[in-house]
Amino acid sequence: LLIDWINATLKEEHIVVKSLEEDLYDGLVLHHLLEKLGSLKLDVDKIALTEKKQRQKLSVILEALAKCLQLEESQLRWSVESILTKDLLSTLHLLVAIAKHFTPNLAMPPNVQVETITIQHTSRGLKTANAVEYITENKENLEAQSKDDAFDELFSRAPDKLDAVKKVFLQFVNEHIGKLGLNVQDIESQFADGVILLLLIGQLEGYFLNLRNFFLTPASTTEMV
């Protein structure tokens, strides 16, 4: 996906990428990519032949990119050294960040992950550690976090707006269960036994709930559960 995206973006430049490790480390493709996508004018040579010039070029490119993406150094998952040494993991992180910023509609598959093995030399020999690293966003965690954050923000930072939110939900509920001749006045108390919730789901999904499957007027906690 990333290779196709780069090639489509740089088609007019007559640049064709075949390998992310071999074609991006010297900064040439990154230079053209950022100029094309972000109209970034970078004060570097188009072609850097020596390792020293490639390092300098990458340093300018990555510094400009960090400013563009508004990322602090601690947030960067790549470095001049890792890109220069053809580290695929760093290159992927870099390209995903560029694509998300400049081409947000690119159909990036979520939950892409790799298992990394870190090898460390110690006085007792080699020590290894395994970890899972996400290349693209962990969608399930992201969705759960965004949902939690929205209501946490409401309760902690804007409790005065809670009544307004309740009013909107109340209108939404009554708009649907009103078709059954029902009306909700208080969300907390009238949703507690589960009956309104079941009837609302039935209305929203467009199916009839068999009344024998639940207690329409539950008389105990067990019946509510």
Side-chain angles (χ1 to χ4, degrees):
L1 175 69
L2 290 170
I3 288 175
D4 289 345
W5 165 68
I6 293 171
N7 289 336
T9 304
L10 300 180
K11 186 177 181 180
E12 293 178 2
E13 310 289 329
H14 304 292
I15 290 176
V16 178
V17 169
K18 294 182 178 179
S19 165
L20 295 181
E21 299 100 308
E22 296 298 329
D23 295 341
L24 273 88
Y25 78 94
D26 61 0
L28 175 65
V29 174
L30 289 172
H31 187 179
H32 281 273
L33 198 59
L34 292 178
E35 280 194 339
K36 186 74 174 177
L37 292 170
S39 301
L40 297 177
K41 297 301 177 186
L42 303 171
D43 188 20
V44 289
D45 296 331
K46 286 287 184 184
I47 299 175
L49 296 176
T50 66
E51 185 179 323
K52 182 180 179 181
K53 287 188 175 181
Q54 288 168 358
R55 194 183 301 274
Q56 289 173 343
K57 181 172 182 171
L58 276 174
S59 181
V60 172
I61 290 171
L62 297 184
E63 186 177 341
L65 181 63
K67 287 181 181 177
C68 186
L69 301 183
Q70 298 182 331
L71 294 175
E72 300 292 333
E73 192 172 345
S74 59
Q75 296 175 290
L76 302 179
R77 304 178 76 176
W78 57 83
S79 66
V80 171
E81 199 61 39
S82 63
I83 301 298
L84 194 59
T85 54
K86 305 178 184 180
D87 181 84
L88 180 58
L89 199 56
S90 295
T91 305
L92 286 172
H93 280 309
L94 175 63
L95 290 174
V96 167
I98 294 172
K100 278 176 59 183
H101 183 78
F102 293 108
T103 319
N105 293 329
L106 187 67
M108 197 87 68
N111 305 322
V112 178
Q113 61 187 47
V114 293
E115 185 177 3
T116 60
I117 304 172
T118 306
I119 303 173
Q120 183 181 3
H121 291 277
T122 67
S123 56
R124 297 182 180 180
L126 294 178
K127 180 182 178 183
T128 62
N130 290 38
V132 172
E133 190 163 339
Y134 279 89
I135 303 297
T136 59
E137 289 172 337
N138 183 340
K139 197 171 183 180
E140 292 176 4
N141 287 354
L142 197 69
E143 288 176 353
Q145 184 181 358
S146 63
K147 288 174 186 174
D148 291 343
D149 287 349
F151 285 97
D152 287 345
E153 288 269 326
L154 181 65
F155 281 104
S156 62
R157 297 194 182 186
D160 55 309
K161 294 181 180 178
L162 195 57
D163 287 338
V165 173
K166 283 183 183 178
K167 187 177 179 181
V168 171
F169 281 134
L170 208 55
Q171 289 172 344
F172 168 74
V173 170
N174 284 325
E175 180 185 339
H176 291 283
I177 65 164
K179 299 167 186 175
L180 300 174
L182 299 170
N183 183 265
V184 172
Q185 299 292 331
D186 185 85
I187 286 180
E188 287 94 331
S189 62
Q190 287 182 265
F191 267 82
D193 61 9
V195 174
I196 295 294
L197 184 59
L198 279 171
L199 296 174
L200 176 63
I201 291 170
Q203 285 297 300
L204 292 173
E205 292 293 331
Y207 58 76
F208 176 75
L209 286 160
N210 192 327
L211 300 183
R212 286 179 293 183
N213 290 342
F214 67 100
F215 297 91
L216 192 59
T217 54
S220 65
T221 302
T222 302
E223 290 181 356
M224 292 178 189
V225 172

